[in-house]
Amino acid sequence: MASENGELTGAGYINHHLSNLTYGQLPDGTWSFAHGAEEAASMGFMAIHVDSMVWALSLGVIMFWVMRRVAKSFSSDKPSKVQCFVEALFDMAQDSKDSTFTKQAKNVWIAPMALTIFVWVFFMNLMDLVPVDWIPELAKLAGVGYMKIVPSTDVNVALGMALAVFIMILYYSLKIKGPVGFAKELALQPFGKYLIPFNLVLELVGLLAKPLSLGLRLFGNMYAGELIFILIAMMYSAGLGLGVLGGVAQLGWSIFHILVITLQAYIFMMLTIVYLSQAHEHH
Amino acid sequence: MNINLTLIGQTISFLLFVWFCKKFVWPPMVNAMQERQNQIADGLAAAEKGQEAQNVAEKEAAELISKAKTQAAEIIASAEKRGNAVVDEAKTTATSEKERIVASALTEVEQEVHTAREQLRIQVSSIAVAAASKIADKEIDEAAHAGLIEDLVKQLKAS
């Protein structure tokens, strides 16, 4: 609960919970884990959030491990419950692709990508439902000062995935429409060839807004949710009455959050399909 | 909120995961699901076929049964006819046999009667001769009257 120098303040508690385990290059050129938020900030771009990456990758590996195992032990006659669930996920991904993706183009990558996004983002969001102190306190016992277990509350993670989507948008736009076609689309819409600079600004802003809104929407929702959980957790140390109230609040917020995490994962998936569909469309 | 290498790391991880999913997770699962879909479709088709075959078989069986019934009726009718014919034949045979037996018995009886009559005549004639010889023993010379007696015997034989 304490911040790095041991003080037990509300602000310190919140800051501690919102700090990542950062490994990076200090201004003096040495690489080490950051001790405190200021040191982490001083590392600039040459730093990595170890907790975000480890949790994100572990959750992804678990996700694929479960799916591979289900695929290998696939039984037509006696499907297990897990198999039925995974099948429903595959169907959902395929249906989303079929219903949303442009019929002009065929792309076998969209449905697997939709599945990956939905399940992975859902898993990362799901960590939000683990009580906020459990794993950080365990980590502290193990000697790790910072542990932020919800990767999607890390703006790098959310924007990183959005950046990947952006790369795919550019790749498919160039591949399907060609450089000239893509440039025309950016320059000649919506006001025709006499307002090319204006069009360009408008379209480029629109293009950049796609990944930004995609990433920040997920990040904002999850970050806000996490913050509320942290605030609720602070009530536990503020007397019996507030503690009980905090318990009720946490229960209510958790239940509401089940909806939020699923919805955010779904929105991320659907918007990715929509953006890539636009990248495939000819005008 | 520091933007740092995590951004790049997550981007690379994401692209890698999508690639991994497309290559190693999506195909086996989707293929298995497709295979099962085909299995179910095949099963339903086979069930329908089986139903049809059963209907046909039932129809055939009904036909066979009705055919067999008519055949059986025919067989029974012809058997009855034949039975009647046999009985009639037997009756005819029996009647003719009876007539034959009766006829042969009559013949036999007649023959017996004839034989008996013959014997009787011989005996009567010999008795007559004996009686006559006894009467005429003293008066008739056997040698002298032999012709007469023989005529008498002949006459007796003829009657």
mmCIF file of all heavy atoms in Angstrom, chain A residues 99-148:
data_model
loop_
_atom_site.group_PDB
_atom_site.id
_atom_site.type_symbol
_atom_site.label_atom_id
_atom_site.label_comp_id
_atom_site.label_asym_id
_atom_site.label_seq_id
_atom_site.Cartn_x
_atom_site.Cartn_y
_atom_site.Cartn_z
ATOM 1 N N SER A 99 -20.476 -10.258 -41.422
ATOM 2 C CA SER A 99 -21.546 -9.257 -41.461
ATOM 3 C C SER A 99 -21.004 -7.848 -41.696
ATOM 4 O O SER A 99 -21.730 -6.987 -42.177
ATOM 5 C CB SER A 99 -22.330 -9.296 -40.143
ATOM 6 O OG SER A 99 -21.470 -8.938 -39.078
ATOM 7 N N THR A 100 -19.736 -7.621 -41.353
ATOM 8 C CA THR A 100 -19.235 -6.246 -41.381
ATOM 9 C C THR A 100 -18.237 -5.998 -42.502
ATOM 10 O O THR A 100 -18.227 -4.928 -43.104
ATOM 11 C CB THR A 100 -18.563 -5.910 -40.035
ATOM 12 O OG1 THR A 100 -19.437 -6.304 -38.995
ATOM 13 C CG2 THR A 100 -18.263 -4.441 -39.920
ATOM 14 N N PHE A 101 -17.418 -6.980 -42.768
ATOM 15 C CA PHE A 101 -16.334 -6.755 -43.714
ATOM 16 C C PHE A 101 -16.875 -6.643 -45.134
ATOM 17 O O PHE A 101 -17.828 -7.338 -45.503
ATOM 18 C CB PHE A 101 -15.327 -7.911 -43.625
ATOM 19 C CG PHE A 101 -14.015 -7.600 -44.263
ATOM 20 C CD1 PHE A 101 -13.140 -6.698 -43.691
ATOM 21 C CD2 PHE A 101 -13.656 -8.198 -45.452
ATOM 22 C CE1 PHE A 101 -11.939 -6.405 -44.281
ATOM 23 C CE2 PHE A 101 -12.451 -7.918 -46.047
ATOM 24 C CZ PHE A 101 -11.590 -7.012 -45.464
ATOM 25 N N THR A 102 -16.257 -5.742 -45.908
ATOM 26 C CA THR A 102 -16.752 -5.487 -47.266
ATOM 27 C C THR A 102 -16.770 -6.759 -48.101
ATOM 28 O O THR A 102 -15.867 -7.594 -48.021
ATOM 29 C CB THR A 102 -15.883 -4.422 -47.948
ATOM 30 O OG1 THR A 102 -16.328 -4.297 -49.281
ATOM 31 C CG2 THR A 102 -14.424 -4.813 -47.961
ATOM 32 N N LYS A 103 -17.831 -6.893 -48.917
ATOM 33 C CA LYS A 103 -17.955 -8.088 -49.742
ATOM 34 C C LYS A 103 -17.066 -7.994 -50.990
ATOM 35 O O LYS A 103 -16.907 -8.955 -51.719
ATOM 36 C CB LYS A 103 -19.411 -8.271 -50.173
ATOM 37 C CG LYS A 103 -20.377 -8.357 -49.010
ATOM 38 C CD LYS A 103 -20.337 -9.725 -48.330
ATOM 39 C CE LYS A 103 -21.365 -9.844 -47.237
ATOM 40 N NZ LYS A 103 -21.031 -9.035 -46.042
ATOM 41 N N GLN A 104 -16.530 -6.780 -51.211
ATOM 42 C CA GLN A 104 -15.693 -6.589 -52.406
ATOM 43 C C GLN A 104 -14.421 -7.422 -52.355
ATOM 44 O O GLN A 104 -13.928 -7.883 -53.365
ATOM 45 C CB GLN A 104 -15.280 -5.116 -52.532
ATOM 46 C CG GLN A 104 -16.393 -4.205 -52.975
ATOM 47 C CD GLN A 104 -15.921 -2.769 -53.036
ATOM 48 O OE1 GLN A 104 -14.776 -2.468 -52.722
ATOM 49 N NE2 GLN A 104 -16.806 -1.886 -53.452
ATOM 50 N N ALA A 105 -13.895 -7.565 -51.132
ATOM 51 C CA ALA A 105 -12.581 -8.198 -51.008
ATOM 52 C C ALA A 105 -12.658 -9.436 -50.146
ATOM 53 O O ALA A 105 -13.512 -9.547 -49.273
ATOM 54 C CB ALA A 105 -11.593 -7.215 -50.407
ATOM 55 N N LYS A 106 -11.776 -10.361 -50.458
ATOM 56 C CA LYS A 106 -11.659 -11.547 -49.621
ATOM 57 C C LYS A 106 -10.360 -11.428 -48.831
ATOM 58 O O LYS A 106 -9.321 -11.115 -49.397
ATOM 59 C CB LYS A 106 -11.608 -12.798 -50.496
ATOM 60 C CG LYS A 106 -12.958 -13.237 -51.006
ATOM 61 C CD LYS A 106 -12.903 -14.686 -51.429
ATOM 62 C CE LYS A 106 -14.269 -15.291 -51.664
ATOM 63 N NZ LYS A 106 -15.301 -14.387 -52.113
ATOM 64 N N ASN A 107 -10.444 -11.643 -47.538
ATOM 65 C CA ASN A 107 -9.230 -11.590 -46.735
ATOM 66 C C ASN A 107 -9.350 -12.595 -45.603
ATOM 67 O O ASN A 107 -10.155 -12.426 -44.693
ATOM 68 C CB ASN A 107 -9.020 -10.184 -46.180
ATOM 69 C CG ASN A 107 -7.634 -10.037 -45.590
ATOM 70 O OD1 ASN A 107 -7.036 -11.008 -45.137
ATOM 71 N ND2 ASN A 107 -7.130 -8.830 -45.607
ATOM 72 N N VAL A 108 -8.544 -13.653 -45.686
ATOM 73 C CA VAL A 108 -8.663 -14.724 -44.697
ATOM 74 C C VAL A 108 -8.021 -14.349 -43.364
ATOM 75 O O VAL A 108 -8.086 -15.118 -42.422
ATOM 76 C CB VAL A 108 -8.020 -16.019 -45.215
ATOM 77 C CG1 VAL A 108 -8.840 -16.604 -46.343
ATOM 78 C CG2 VAL A 108 -6.598 -15.784 -45.670
ATOM 79 N N TRP A 109 -7.403 -13.170 -43.301
ATOM 80 C CA TRP A 109 -6.755 -12.789 -42.047
ATOM 81 C C TRP A 109 -7.720 -12.107 -41.100
ATOM 82 O O TRP A 109 -7.448 -12.013 -39.897
ATOM 83 C CB TRP A 109 -5.575 -11.841 -42.334
ATOM 84 C CG TRP A 109 -4.407 -12.549 -42.919
ATOM 85 C CD1 TRP A 109 -4.219 -12.862 -44.229
ATOM 86 C CD2 TRP A 109 -3.269 -13.059 -42.215
ATOM 87 N NE1 TRP A 109 -3.034 -13.537 -44.385
ATOM 88 C CE2 TRP A 109 -2.425 -13.662 -43.166
ATOM 89 C CE3 TRP A 109 -2.879 -13.052 -40.879
ATOM 90 C CZ2 TRP A 109 -1.222 -14.265 -42.825
ATOM 91 C CZ3 TRP A 109 -1.687 -13.646 -40.543
ATOM 92 C CH2 TRP A 109 -0.865 -14.248 -41.505
ATOM 93 N N ILE A 110 -8.831 -11.587 -41.634
ATOM 94 C CA ILE A 110 -9.688 -10.737 -40.810
ATOM 95 C C ILE A 110 -10.322 -11.513 -39.657
ATOM 96 O O ILE A 110 -10.286 -11.066 -38.510
ATOM 97 C CB ILE A 110 -10.781 -10.086 -41.678
ATOM 98 C CG1 ILE A 110 -10.142 -9.279 -42.815
ATOM 99 C CG2 ILE A 110 -11.667 -9.194 -40.841
ATOM 100 C CD1 ILE A 110 -9.278 -8.143 -42.347
ATOM 101 N N ALA A 111 -10.885 -12.682 -39.973
ATOM 102 C CA ALA A 111 -11.592 -13.412 -38.915
ATOM 103 C C ALA A 111 -10.641 -13.874 -37.805
ATOM 104 O O ALA A 111 -10.945 -13.662 -36.619
ATOM 105 C CB ALA A 111 -12.356 -14.589 -39.520
ATOM 106 N N PRO A 112 -9.488 -14.484 -38.129
ATOM 107 C CA PRO A 112 -8.565 -14.839 -37.040
ATOM 108 C C PRO A 112 -8.107 -13.620 -36.251
ATOM 109 O O PRO A 112 -7.949 -13.684 -35.027
ATOM 110 C CB PRO A 112 -7.377 -15.483 -37.753
ATOM 111 C CG PRO A 112 -7.838 -15.818 -39.103
ATOM 112 C CD PRO A 112 -9.001 -14.947 -39.432
ATOM 113 N N MET A 113 -7.931 -12.499 -36.964
ATOM 114 C CA MET A 113 -7.496 -11.293 -36.266
ATOM 115 C C MET A 113 -8.598 -10.815 -35.316
ATOM 116 O O MET A 113 -8.327 -10.427 -34.179
ATOM 117 C CB MET A 113 -7.177 -10.201 -37.274
ATOM 118 C CG MET A 113 -6.507 -9.020 -36.655
ATOM 119 S SD MET A 113 -6.599 -7.621 -37.737
ATOM 120 C CE MET A 113 -8.359 -7.470 -37.892
ATOM 121 N N ALA A 114 -9.835 -10.867 -35.784
ATOM 122 C CA ALA A 114 -10.949 -10.462 -34.921
ATOM 123 C C ALA A 114 -10.992 -11.331 -33.672
ATOM 124 O O ALA A 114 -11.190 -10.831 -32.558
ATOM 125 C CB ALA A 114 -12.267 -10.572 -35.692
ATOM 126 N N LEU A 115 -10.795 -12.629 -33.872
ATOM 127 C CA LEU A 115 -10.795 -13.539 -32.727
ATOM 128 C C LEU A 115 -9.681 -13.182 -31.753
ATOM 129 O O LEU A 115 -9.888 -13.082 -30.539
ATOM 130 C CB LEU A 115 -10.619 -14.975 -33.208
ATOM 131 C CG LEU A 115 -10.561 -16.020 -32.115
ATOM 132 C CD1 LEU A 115 -11.944 -16.292 -31.586
ATOM 133 C CD2 LEU A 115 -9.926 -17.300 -32.600
ATOM 134 N N THR A 116 -8.481 -12.981 -32.305
ATOM 135 C CA THR A 116 -7.338 -12.648 -31.451
ATOM 136 C C THR A 116 -7.629 -11.384 -30.656
ATOM 137 O O THR A 116 -7.424 -11.336 -29.437
ATOM 138 C CB THR A 116 -6.085 -12.422 -32.311
ATOM 139 O OG1 THR A 116 -5.947 -13.523 -33.202
ATOM 140 C CG2 THR A 116 -4.856 -12.285 -31.445
ATOM 141 N N ILE A 117 -8.121 -10.355 -31.352
ATOM 142 C CA ILE A 117 -8.381 -9.085 -30.674
ATOM 143 C C ILE A 117 -9.397 -9.281 -29.566
ATOM 144 O O ILE A 117 -9.169 -8.919 -28.417
ATOM 145 C CB ILE A 117 -8.908 -8.032 -31.674
ATOM 146 C CG1 ILE A 117 -7.799 -7.618 -32.625
ATOM 147 C CG2 ILE A 117 -9.443 -6.825 -30.934
ATOM 148 C CD1 ILE A 117 -8.263 -6.666 -33.698
ATOM 149 N N PHE A 118 -10.519 -9.900 -29.920
ATOM 150 C CA PHE A 118 -11.592 -9.985 -28.925
ATOM 151 C C PHE A 118 -11.130 -10.744 -27.690
ATOM 152 O O PHE A 118 -11.274 -10.270 -26.568
ATOM 153 C CB PHE A 118 -12.827 -10.659 -29.534
ATOM 154 C CG PHE A 118 -13.960 -10.778 -28.555
ATOM 155 C CD1 PHE A 118 -14.710 -9.670 -28.208
ATOM 156 C CD2 PHE A 118 -14.255 -11.987 -27.966
ATOM 157 C CE1 PHE A 118 -15.739 -9.761 -27.297
ATOM 158 C CE2 PHE A 118 -15.282 -12.090 -27.042
ATOM 159 C CZ PHE A 118 -16.024 -10.977 -26.712
ATOM 160 N N VAL A 119 -10.568 -11.913 -27.888
ATOM 161 C CA VAL A 119 -10.234 -12.745 -26.734
ATOM 162 C C VAL A 119 -9.073 -12.141 -25.946
ATOM 163 O O VAL A 119 -9.098 -12.103 -24.718
ATOM 164 C CB VAL A 119 -9.911 -14.183 -27.182
ATOM 165 C CG1 VAL A 119 -9.596 -15.042 -25.983
ATOM 166 C CG2 VAL A 119 -11.075 -14.762 -27.953
ATOM 167 N N TRP A 120 -8.101 -11.655 -26.680
ATOM 168 C CA TRP A 120 -6.927 -11.114 -25.978
ATOM 169 C C TRP A 120 -7.304 -9.861 -25.178
ATOM 170 O O TRP A 120 -6.970 -9.747 -24.004
ATOM 171 C CB TRP A 120 -5.827 -10.807 -26.990
ATOM 172 C CG TRP A 120 -4.473 -10.625 -26.367
ATOM 173 C CD1 TRP A 120 -4.049 -11.105 -25.170
ATOM 174 C CD2 TRP A 120 -3.369 -9.911 -26.938
ATOM 175 N NE1 TRP A 120 -2.751 -10.757 -24.954
ATOM 176 C CE2 TRP A 120 -2.302 -10.019 -26.020
ATOM 177 C CE3 TRP A 120 -3.173 -9.211 -28.126
ATOM 178 C CZ2 TRP A 120 -1.062 -9.435 -26.261
ATOM 179 C CZ3 TRP A 120 -1.937 -8.637 -28.359
ATOM 180 C CH2 TRP A 120 -0.892 -8.748 -27.450
ATOM 181 N N VAL A 121 -7.994 -8.939 -25.823
ATOM 182 C CA VAL A 121 -8.407 -7.718 -25.116
ATOM 183 C C VAL A 121 -9.320 -8.074 -23.957
ATOM 184 O O VAL A 121 -9.205 -7.527 -22.862
ATOM 185 C CB VAL A 121 -9.099 -6.738 -26.091
ATOM 186 C CG1 VAL A 121 -9.695 -5.573 -25.337
ATOM 187 C CG2 VAL A 121 -8.109 -6.251 -27.130
ATOM 188 N N PHE A 122 -10.198 -9.053 -24.190
ATOM 189 C CA PHE A 122 -11.090 -9.459 -23.104
ATOM 190 C C PHE A 122 -10.284 -9.998 -21.922
ATOM 191 O O PHE A 122 -10.543 -9.645 -20.771
ATOM 192 C CB PHE A 122 -12.070 -10.519 -23.594
ATOM 193 C CG PHE A 122 -12.989 -11.019 -22.529
ATOM 194 C CD1 PHE A 122 -14.091 -10.275 -22.148
ATOM 195 C CD2 PHE A 122 -12.748 -12.225 -21.887
ATOM 196 C CE1 PHE A 122 -14.927 -10.716 -21.148
ATOM 197 C CE2 PHE A 122 -13.580 -12.669 -20.879
ATOM 198 C CZ PHE A 122 -14.675 -11.916 -20.514
ATOM 199 N N PHE A 123 -9.316 -10.835 -22.204
ATOM 200 C CA PHE A 123 -8.481 -11.397 -21.129
ATOM 201 C C PHE A 123 -7.741 -10.288 -20.390
ATOM 202 O O PHE A 123 -7.654 -10.304 -19.165
ATOM 203 C CB PHE A 123 -7.473 -12.390 -21.717
ATOM 204 C CG PHE A 123 -7.990 -13.798 -21.772
ATOM 205 C CD1 PHE A 123 -9.340 -14.057 -21.847
ATOM 206 C CD2 PHE A 123 -7.116 -14.882 -21.751
ATOM 207 C CE1 PHE A 123 -9.830 -15.345 -21.901
ATOM 208 C CE2 PHE A 123 -7.587 -16.173 -21.797
ATOM 209 C CZ PHE A 123 -8.937 -16.415 -21.872
ATOM 210 N N MET A 124 -7.187 -9.343 -21.172
ATOM 211 C CA MET A 124 -6.432 -8.268 -20.528
ATOM 212 C C MET A 124 -7.353 -7.421 -19.669
ATOM 213 O O MET A 124 -7.005 -7.031 -18.554
ATOM 214 C CB MET A 124 -5.732 -7.406 -21.590
ATOM 215 C CG MET A 124 -4.621 -8.155 -22.290
ATOM 216 S SD MET A 124 -3.502 -7.094 -23.208
ATOM 217 C CE MET A 124 -4.491 -6.627 -24.600
ATOM 218 N N ASN A 125 -8.565 -7.144 -20.182
ATOM 219 C CA ASN A 125 -9.531 -6.365 -19.400
ATOM 220 C C ASN A 125 -9.976 -7.135 -18.168
ATOM 221 O O ASN A 125 -10.246 -6.557 -17.126
ATOM 222 C CB ASN A 125 -10.760 -6.043 -20.258
ATOM 223 C CG ASN A 125 -10.425 -5.081 -21.379
ATOM 224 O OD1 ASN A 125 -9.323 -4.563 -21.442
ATOM 225 N ND2 ASN A 125 -11.382 -4.856 -22.251
ATOM 226 N N LEU A 126 -10.064 -8.459 -18.334
ATOM 227 C CA LEU A 126 -10.589 -9.300 -17.256
ATOM 228 C C LEU A 126 -9.743 -9.181 -15.993
ATOM 229 O O LEU A 126 -10.252 -9.327 -14.884
ATOM 230 C CB LEU A 126 -10.615 -10.750 -17.741
ATOM 231 C CG LEU A 126 -11.412 -11.754 -16.911
ATOM 232 C CD1 LEU A 126 -12.875 -11.376 -16.915
ATOM 233 C CD2 LEU A 126 -11.232 -13.150 -17.479
ATOM 234 N N MET A 127 -8.464 -8.893 -16.174
ATOM 235 C CA MET A 127 -7.590 -8.747 -15.007
ATOM 236 C C MET A 127 -8.075 -7.620 -14.101
ATOM 237 O O MET A 127 -7.715 -7.564 -12.928
ATOM 238 C CB MET A 127 -6.151 -8.459 -15.462
ATOM 239 C CG MET A 127 -5.527 -9.555 -16.285
ATOM 240 S SD MET A 127 -5.565 -11.143 -15.459
ATOM 241 C CE MET A 127 -4.359 -10.871 -14.175
ATOM 242 N N ASP A 128 -8.895 -6.754 -14.641
ATOM 243 C CA ASP A 128 -9.443 -5.649 -13.871
ATOM 244 C C ASP A 128 -10.314 -6.147 -12.727
ATOM 245 O O ASP A 128 -10.499 -5.457 -11.737
ATOM 246 C CB ASP A 128 -10.297 -4.762 -14.805
ATOM 247 C CG ASP A 128 -10.163 -3.308 -14.434
ATOM 248 O OD1 ASP A 128 -9.394 -3.010 -13.512
ATOM 249 O OD2 ASP A 128 -10.817 -2.480 -15.092
ATOM 250 N N LEU A 129 -10.876 -7.354 -12.884
ATOM 251 C CA LEU A 129 -11.794 -7.866 -11.863
ATOM 252 C C LEU A 129 -11.051 -8.513 -10.701
ATOM 253 O O LEU A 129 -11.656 -8.820 -9.678
ATOM 254 C CB LEU A 129 -12.769 -8.866 -12.492
ATOM 255 C CG LEU A 129 -13.699 -8.271 -13.553
ATOM 256 C CD1 LEU A 129 -14.658 -9.328 -14.075
ATOM 257 C CD2 LEU A 129 -14.483 -7.107 -12.991
ATOM 258 N N VAL A 130 -9.754 -8.737 -10.859
ATOM 259 C CA VAL A 130 -8.965 -9.228 -9.726
ATOM 260 C C VAL A 130 -8.814 -8.066 -8.748
ATOM 261 O O VAL A 130 -8.447 -6.974 -9.154
ATOM 262 C CB VAL A 130 -7.579 -9.695 -10.205
ATOM 263 C CG1 VAL A 130 -6.743 -10.168 -9.029
ATOM 264 C CG2 VAL A 130 -7.712 -10.787 -11.250
ATOM 265 N N PRO A 131 -9.147 -8.300 -7.486
ATOM 266 C CA PRO A 131 -9.030 -7.200 -6.513
ATOM 267 C C PRO A 131 -7.670 -6.514 -6.605
ATOM 268 O O PRO A 131 -6.632 -7.174 -6.723
ATOM 269 C CB PRO A 131 -9.214 -7.925 -5.173
ATOM 270 C CG PRO A 131 -10.108 -9.062 -5.511
ATOM 271 C CD PRO A 131 -9.724 -9.499 -6.881
ATOM 272 N N VAL A 132 -7.694 -5.199 -6.564
ATOM 273 C CA VAL A 132 -6.532 -4.405 -6.964
ATOM 274 C C VAL A 132 -5.293 -4.640 -6.122
ATOM 275 O O VAL A 132 -4.186 -4.375 -6.575
ATOM 276 C CB VAL A 132 -6.866 -2.901 -6.968
ATOM 277 C CG1 VAL A 132 -7.791 -2.579 -8.115
ATOM 278 C CG2 VAL A 132 -7.467 -2.480 -5.643
ATOM 279 N N ASP A 133 -5.451 -5.115 -4.903
ATOM 280 C CA ASP A 133 -4.273 -5.222 -4.046
ATOM 281 C C ASP A 133 -3.619 -6.596 -4.057
ATOM 282 O O ASP A 133 -2.466 -6.730 -3.671
ATOM 283 C CB ASP A 133 -4.655 -4.869 -2.595
ATOM 284 C CG ASP A 133 -4.609 -3.367 -2.383
ATOM 285 O OD1 ASP A 133 -3.741 -2.734 -3.001
ATOM 286 O OD2 ASP A 133 -5.446 -2.846 -1.633
ATOM 287 N N TRP A 134 -4.356 -7.597 -4.462
ATOM 288 C CA TRP A 134 -3.864 -8.971 -4.326
ATOM 289 C C TRP A 134 -2.487 -9.173 -4.943
ATOM 290 O O TRP A 134 -1.525 -9.525 -4.271
ATOM 291 C CB TRP A 134 -4.858 -9.961 -4.976
ATOM 292 C CG TRP A 134 -6.056 -10.215 -4.141
ATOM 293 C CD1 TRP A 134 -6.448 -9.537 -3.021
ATOM 294 C CD2 TRP A 134 -7.049 -11.229 -4.354
ATOM 295 N NE1 TRP A 134 -7.613 -10.045 -2.525
ATOM 296 C CE2 TRP A 134 -8.006 -11.086 -3.328
ATOM 297 C CE3 TRP A 134 -7.222 -12.234 -5.296
ATOM 298 C CZ2 TRP A 134 -9.103 -11.918 -3.226
ATOM 299 C CZ3 TRP A 134 -8.316 -13.064 -5.206
ATOM 300 C CH2 TRP A 134 -9.261 -12.900 -4.181
ATOM 301 N N ILE A 135 -2.443 -8.995 -6.250
ATOM 302 C CA ILE A 135 -1.213 -9.351 -6.947
ATOM 303 C C ILE A 135 -0.095 -8.337 -6.685
ATOM 304 O O ILE A 135 1.044 -8.752 -6.466
ATOM 305 C CB ILE A 135 -1.512 -9.587 -8.442
ATOM 306 C CG1 ILE A 135 -2.348 -10.867 -8.564
ATOM 307 C CG2 ILE A 135 -0.233 -9.707 -9.248
ATOM 308 C CD1 ILE A 135 -2.917 -11.149 -9.902
ATOM 309 N N PRO A 136 -0.385 -7.020 -6.615
ATOM 310 C CA PRO A 136 0.689 -6.092 -6.251
ATOM 311 C C PRO A 136 1.298 -6.404 -4.885
ATOM 312 O O PRO A 136 2.512 -6.327 -4.712
ATOM 313 C CB PRO A 136 -0.023 -4.734 -6.250
ATOM 314 C CG PRO A 136 -1.111 -4.899 -7.231
ATOM 315 C CD PRO A 136 -1.583 -6.303 -7.091
ATOM 316 N N GLU A 137 0.459 -6.794 -3.919
ATOM 317 C CA GLU A 137 0.994 -7.117 -2.598
ATOM 318 C C GLU A 137 1.844 -8.382 -2.654
ATOM 319 O O GLU A 137 2.892 -8.470 -2.024
ATOM 320 C CB GLU A 137 -0.155 -7.291 -1.595
ATOM 321 C CG GLU A 137 -0.854 -5.987 -1.232
ATOM 322 C CD GLU A 137 0.074 -4.993 -0.535
ATOM 323 O OE1 GLU A 137 0.785 -5.387 0.407
ATOM 324 O OE2 GLU A 137 0.108 -3.817 -0.968
ATOM 325 N N LEU A 138 1.368 -9.379 -3.403
ATOM 326 C CA LEU A 138 2.163 -10.601 -3.586
ATOM 327 C C LEU A 138 3.497 -10.271 -4.223
ATOM 328 O O LEU A 138 4.549 -10.787 -3.821
ATOM 329 C CB LEU A 138 1.407 -11.606 -4.476
ATOM 330 C CG LEU A 138 0.350 -12.466 -3.792
ATOM 331 C CD1 LEU A 138 -0.367 -13.316 -4.837
ATOM 332 C CD2 LEU A 138 0.991 -13.354 -2.731
ATOM 333 N N ALA A 139 3.443 -9.388 -5.228
ATOM 334 C CA ALA A 139 4.670 -9.005 -5.917
ATOM 335 C C ALA A 139 5.615 -8.303 -4.956
ATOM 336 O O ALA A 139 6.828 -8.515 -4.995
ATOM 337 C CB ALA A 139 4.335 -8.098 -7.102
ATOM 338 N N LYS A 140 5.027 -7.506 -4.076
ATOM 339 C CA LYS A 140 5.875 -6.791 -3.109
ATOM 340 C C LYS A 140 6.578 -7.781 -2.194
ATOM 341 O O LYS A 140 7.755 -7.638 -1.886
ATOM 342 C CB LYS A 140 5.006 -5.823 -2.293
ATOM 343 C CG LYS A 140 5.822 -4.715 -1.648
ATOM 344 C CD LYS A 140 4.980 -3.960 -0.677
ATOM 345 C CE LYS A 140 4.382 -2.715 -1.310
ATOM 346 N NZ LYS A 140 3.493 -2.033 -0.360
ATOM 347 N N LEU A 141 5.817 -8.836 -1.801
ATOM 348 C CA LEU A 141 6.435 -9.871 -0.976
ATOM 349 C C LEU A 141 7.596 -10.528 -1.716
ATOM 350 O O LEU A 141 8.588 -10.923 -1.119
ATOM 351 C CB LEU A 141 5.403 -10.936 -0.595
ATOM 352 C CG LEU A 141 4.368 -10.517 0.455
ATOM 353 C CD1 LEU A 141 3.385 -11.646 0.692
ATOM 354 C CD2 LEU A 141 5.061 -10.139 1.757
ATOM 355 N N ALA A 142 7.427 -10.634 -3.040
ATOM 356 C CA ALA A 142 8.476 -11.250 -3.847
ATOM 357 C C ALA A 142 9.575 -10.246 -4.191
ATOM 358 O O ALA A 142 10.503 -10.572 -4.929
ATOM 359 C CB ALA A 142 7.877 -11.827 -5.130
ATOM 360 N N GLY A 143 9.446 -9.019 -3.694
ATOM 361 C CA GLY A 143 10.506 -8.042 -3.903
ATOM 362 C C GLY A 143 10.335 -7.181 -5.133
ATOM 363 O O GLY A 143 11.255 -6.480 -5.530
ATOM 364 N N VAL A 144 9.149 -7.244 -5.739
ATOM 365 C CA VAL A 144 8.915 -6.415 -6.920
ATOM 366 C C VAL A 144 8.072 -5.219 -6.484
ATOM 367 O O VAL A 144 6.958 -5.390 -5.981
ATOM 368 C CB VAL A 144 8.192 -7.203 -8.020
ATOM 369 C CG1 VAL A 144 7.950 -6.313 -9.229
ATOM 370 C CG2 VAL A 144 9.022 -8.412 -8.421
ATOM 371 N N GLY A 145 8.583 -4.039 -6.657
ATOM 372 C CA GLY A 145 7.956 -2.847 -6.109
ATOM 373 C C GLY A 145 6.664 -2.445 -6.789
ATOM 374 O O GLY A 145 5.735 -1.976 -6.146
ATOM 375 N N TYR A 146 6.606 -2.611 -8.085
ATOM 376 C CA TYR A 146 5.422 -2.164 -8.826
ATOM 377 C C TYR A 146 4.851 -3.328 -9.623
ATOM 378 O O TYR A 146 5.591 -4.144 -10.171
ATOM 379 C CB TYR A 146 5.775 -1.030 -9.788
ATOM 380 C CG TYR A 146 6.230 0.217 -9.068
ATOM 381 C CD1 TYR A 146 7.576 0.439 -8.825
ATOM 382 C CD2 TYR A 146 5.298 1.149 -8.634
ATOM 383 C CE1 TYR A 146 7.999 1.568 -8.158
ATOM 384 C CE2 TYR A 146 5.708 2.275 -7.962
ATOM 385 C CZ TYR A 146 7.055 2.493 -7.729
ATOM 386 O OH TYR A 146 7.447 3.600 -7.066
ATOM 387 N N MET A 147 3.543 -3.384 -9.672
ATOM 388 C CA MET A 147 2.914 -4.448 -10.459
ATOM 389 C C MET A 147 1.534 -3.988 -10.871
ATOM 390 O O MET A 147 0.607 -3.947 -10.062
ATOM 391 C CB MET A 147 2.831 -5.747 -9.624
ATOM 392 C CG MET A 147 2.277 -6.930 -10.374
ATOM 393 S SD MET A 147 3.089 -7.319 -11.925
ATOM 394 C CE MET A 147 4.696 -7.867 -11.351
ATOM 395 N N LYS A 148 1.401 -3.628 -12.123
ATOM 396 C CA LYS A 148 0.107 -3.210 -12.654
ATOM 397 C C LYS A 148 -0.372 -4.357 -13.534
ATOM 398 O O LYS A 148 0.238 -4.645 -14.566
ATOM 399 C CB LYS A 148 0.296 -1.939 -13.478
ATOM 400 C CG LYS A 148 -0.904 -1.048 -13.489
ATOM 401 C CD LYS A 148 -0.549 0.289 -14.145
ATOM 402 C CE LYS A 148 -1.741 0.839 -14.881
ATOM 403 N NZ LYS A 148 -1.342 1.886 -15.803
#
